[in-house]
Amino acid sequence: MKRVAIVVASDSGYEGTREDKSGRVIKEIAERNGYQIVHTVLLPDERERLSRELAYLSDEGIADLILTTGGTGFSPRDCMPEATKAVIEREVPGIPEAMRFYSLQFTKRAMLSRQSAGIRRNTLIINLPGSPKAVRECLEYIISELEHGLEILAGEVSNCART
């Protein structure tokens, strides 16, 4: 069973003035797809703090997959893609490209999303949008293919060829 950490970036959620619903959507979808939630944290939109959390979860081998939500918009405080890019060793641009492509079927505002994805050590980190609706759409669209990528990353399979 692959292990998932959920990192929520939200100033208002951290301050207790807004309820986190997106993190719960991630948890629901991940568990329904056979993933084990091993860590959940809600942090303010502070780049250094978010980067430290992502690096810690990866470096300590706590999670195979880190799914983040929030901090991917145009607000001056939105910094999750920058926090992610500061710690990843290899980018995985196809995942955010696929999410934006799919989301554009529902709203043209998907072009304004700044999600990123990448690998640090043996952990895949994926930024999801901040709204529960967009999280559901994006994660349900990509989750079926993540297991194969995680198997390759863990050395459990050797290539992407289909038989």
Side-chain angles (χ1 to χ4, degrees):
M1 183 177 284
K2 297 297 182 194
R3 300 163 299 147
V4 174
I6 301 169
V7 178
V8 179
S10 171
D11 287 334
S12 56
Y14 185 76
E15 294 165 358
T17 60
R18 184 175 182 182
E19 180 185 7
D20 168 47
K21 295 180 181 175
S22 296
R24 286 198 309 242
V25 171
I26 293 171
K27 181 179 186 296
E28 170 209 323
I29 294 169
E31 287 179 337
R32 182 171 12 106
N33 283 273
Y35 291 85
Q36 176 188 8
I37 307 303
V38 294
H39 181 83
T40 303
V41 65
L42 194 155
L43 297 172
D45 289 293
E46 295 174 7
R47 182 177 168 177
E48 297 295 321
R49 193 162 177 187
L50 293 167
S51 288
R52 277 195 311 271
E53 185 72 13
L54 298 174
Y56 166 74
L57 293 167
S58 301
D59 295 350
E60 296 299 318
I62 293 169
D64 305 300
L65 174 64
I66 301 171
L67 297 171
T68 76
T69 181
T72 61
F74 280 22
S75 168
R77 298 267 307 153
D78 287 338
C79 64
M80 184 57 85
E82 291 75 23
T84 301
K85 289 176 182 178
V87 301
I88 61 172
E89 298 160 340
R90 297 183 287 158
E91 286 191 66
V92 184
I95 294 172
E97 288 169 5
M99 289 189 294
R100 276 188 285 276
F101 171 79
Y102 184 70
S103 293
L104 282 166
Q105 320 285 321
F106 305 103
T107 176
K108 288 194 242 178
R109 290 187 180 175
M111 71 178 79
L112 303 176
S113 181
R114 300 181 320 107
Q115 296 115 290
S116 67
I119 297 165
R120 180 179 177 101
R121 298 194 182 219
N122 293 323
T123 302
L124 175 60
I125 304 169
I126 301 172
N127 301 152
L128 295 164
S131 84
K133 179 182 181 294
V135 165
R136 184 172 301 284
E137 290 168 358
C138 288
L139 187 54
E140 286 181 343
Y141 184 67
I142 66 169
I143 199 157
S144 64
E145 302 307 313
L146 296 182
E147 184 175 357
H148 185 66
L150 294 171
E151 289 171 344
I152 293 170
L153 192 56
E156 297 169 4
V157 296
S158 61
N159 62 48
C160 292
R162 294 193 186 261
T163 56

